[in-house]
Amino acid sequence: YRRLVSLMPKNAEAERRLGRALVDAARGPAQSSPGTTQFDKTRLMTEAKESFDKALEIAPDYPAALSDRLTLERVLTGDAGALKLAQDLANARKDSIARLVVLGDFATAVDKHDLALTSYRAVWDKVKNGESLRRLYSALSITGKATEGLQMLKTWAAEHPTDYDTRF
């Protein structure tokens, strides 16, 4: 992947894949190579972070790179650090639907359901589509507002009879 990045320096996917390979290398050698030191693992994780950050420089709203960066941050600093990064990333590009979705998804993953609901409502306010409604409905349900979500689903289904994913 380093070679690929050198051949395609403006390719976010190449950077993201390099970052993932570096994370895998940092995690894997402990089992297969007893000589791997903590320094080596730390260096690999630092390089992975740099690769994910570079991917986000190239493509700031790339959901896979955002998710990978947050997953790494969760390993490095825990849930609180990763959640702060997710919020910072969303705040840095307030018009980014992708960053709001990733913030909501990450907030859901760490059981911060009120934050997820706020994020998904912001997405819904910007983009009314089946995918954003499904996420919003899920957040409404988990925060005890399933009735509101169900009404939104019924209205959507009546107005969009061919949106089978949301109807299901």
Side-chain angles (χ1 to χ4, degrees), residues 15-125:
E15 285 288 352
R16 185 182 83 86
R17 286 179 183 249
L18 173 58
R20 290 182 65 109
L22 290 163
V23 168
D24 289 345
R27 288 183 173 166
Q31 298 156 350
S32 60
S33 177
T36 303
T37 66
Q38 186 60 40
F39 173 77
D40 294 331
K41 292 177 184 181
T42 301
R43 181 182 51 80
L44 290 169
M45 291 296 220
T46 300
E47 286 183 53
K49 180 179 171 183
E50 291 168 0
S51 282
F52 294 140
D53 288 344
K54 177 74 185 240
L56 292 172
E57 285 176 27
I58 296 166
D61 296 331
Y62 184 21
L66 289 162
S67 293
D68 287 343
R69 180 63 180 88
L70 291 175
T71 299
L72 176 60
E73 191 67 24
R74 192 176 190 188
V75 170
L76 297 174
T77 64
D79 289 354
L83 190 59
K84 182 183 180 325
L85 177 60
Q87 291 172 307
D88 291 347
L89 288 169
N91 288 334
R93 292 181 55 92
K94 292 188 185 294
D95 291 333
S96 171
I97 302 301
R99 288 180 180 221
L100 284 171
V101 168
V102 170
L103 171 59
D105 291 351
F106 190 79
T108 298
V110 296
D111 295 328
K112 299 295 183 188
H113 301 294
D114 288 334
L115 177 58
L117 177 58
T118 300
S119 183
Y120 293 146
R121 276 195 197 275
V123 170
W124 175 251
D125 289 344

Side-chain angles (χ1 to χ4, degrees), residues 121-155:
R121 276 195 197 275
V123 170
W124 175 251
D125 289 344
K126 293 174 187 240
V127 178
K128 291 188 174 27
N129 61 30
E131 183 180 341
S132 63
L133 178 57
R134 290 189 301 273
R135 278 187 163 91
L136 178 56
Y137 171 75
S138 178
L140 286 164
S141 293
I142 208 162
T143 56
K145 299 175 178 126
T147 304
E148 177 186 348
L150 186 57
Q151 185 55 50
M152 292 175 78
L153 283 173
K154 286 179 179 179
T155 301

